[in-house]
Amino acid sequence: MNQQMKKIAPSILAADFTRLGEQMKAMEAAGADYHHLDMMDAHFVPNLTFGPLAAAAAKRVASIPLDVHLMLDDPLTYGPQCARLGADIVTFHYEATPHVHSVLTRIREAGAKSGLSLTPSTPVEVLGPTLNYVDLVLIMSVNPGFGGQDFIPESIDKVARLRKFLDENSGRRILVEVDGGVTDKNAAALFAAGADILVSGSYLYGAADYAAAIAALKGGV
Ligand code: DX5
Ligand code: ZN
């Protein structure tokens, strides 16, 4: 089984959209591993962000992979579409659709890694029936919808339970990603609990020195 990764995915939700391409390039130069793109539909979550048009523009400027996080009610349409436009990972919410297996399969068929996200109140055991179709599980450590919220401390134990559940129930190495309120105060504990990728929006894009902030999240790795 492959080793744990320790990767950082800055969320462009916290970037200055008047200078988005420039800021994404600065994040890449500072050591970012993915660009995290939060698509929201004002229905699954009470916020509205951007869609595939903006993701395609991000793809044109990016030199590192795109990690698309769909917080919307129709992942069957938008999941494969984001994969086709070149996203490396496309993640949607377990709570958003009764057709989890279909969406996971179609995202893979369209060429991306398939990601499934759980909100804070959804237990990890729901993943059981779909494990053969999942490449990544995203644990939300805030209620999805907005950047800048406080980290829910119970998320650290949930990540540890998830890592154990995946190791016991899947022969493949399924990646674990954590999103929401990630800062230098909780990153080390999340990696220690088994996270492979940490998403961070306001902490990273709000930092005066992107490279120092990414290094602080990676803990000198
Ligand atoms: C929240 C989004 C997050 C958000 C994280 O629903 O999924 O990706 O951008 O932002 P911070 O790091 O500020 O909590
Ligand atoms: Zn996100």
Side-chain angles (χ1 to χ4, degrees):
M1 208 170 278
N2 297 330
Q3 292 296 305
Q4 179 186 10
M5 296 163 53
K6 287 193 178 180
K7 305 287 189 189
I8 301 297
S11 169
I12 67 166
L13 198 58
D16 175 351
F17 272 52
T18 65
R19 302 190 295 127
L20 182 57
E22 184 191 318
Q23 291 204 329
M24 289 171 67
K25 299 313 282 181
M27 234 8 128
E28 291 177 6
D33 299 293
Y34 299 88
H35 293 295
H36 184 83
L37 274 59
D38 291 304
M39 286 191 194
M40 307 187 193
D41 66 351
H43 198 260
F44 177 67
V45 290
N47 195 8
L48 181 63
T49 58
F50 51 79
L53 180 73
K59 178 66 186 172
R60 287 196 297 277
V61 82
S63 305
I64 58 175
L66 298 188
D67 170 35
V68 173
H69 179 191
L70 302 176
M71 283 158 278
L72 43 77
D73 274 339
D74 186 7
L76 200 54
T77 298
Y78 293 101
Q81 191 173 332
C82 288
R84 283 194 296 273
L85 67 78
D88 189 71
I89 303 166
V90 179
T91 299
F92 64 100
H93 271 266
Y94 171 83
E95 302 83 5
T97 174
H99 306 298
V100 169
H101 173 273
S102 295
V103 182
L104 290 168
T105 302
R106 291 190 195 182
I107 288 170
R108 278 183 171 176
E109 285 171 356
K113 292 188 183 70
S114 58
L116 191 53
S117 184
L118 306 180
T119 66
S121 56
T122 302
V124 301
E125 289 75 16
V126 301
L127 295 164
T130 50
L131 283 185
N132 287 342
Y133 306 89
V134 176
D135 298 316
L136 174 148
V137 177
L138 172 56
I139 294 292
M140 288 304 303
S141 40
V142 299
N143 286 290
F146 298 92
Q149 302 183 77
D150 288 342
F151 181 81
I152 297 173
E154 289 81 0
S155 309
I156 294 169
D157 282 347
K158 188 172 182 182
V159 170
R161 283 200 308 281
L162 172 64
R163 187 69 266 165
K164 185 166 182 287
F165 181 80
L166 295 177
D167 289 345
E168 287 174 357
N169 292 285
S170 173
R172 294 180 302 119
R173 171 85 194 180
I174 297 174
L175 297 175
V176 173
E177 183 173 20
V178 184
D179 183 8
V182 172
T183 70
D184 58 344
K185 304 286 187 291
N186 49 39
L190 290 167
F191 279 134
D196 295 286
I197 305 171
L198 299 183
V199 177
S200 180
S202 44
Y203 172 76
L204 285 181
Y205 273 104
D209 181 339
Y210 290 173
I214 289 177
L217 293 186
K218 290 193 178 183
V221 173

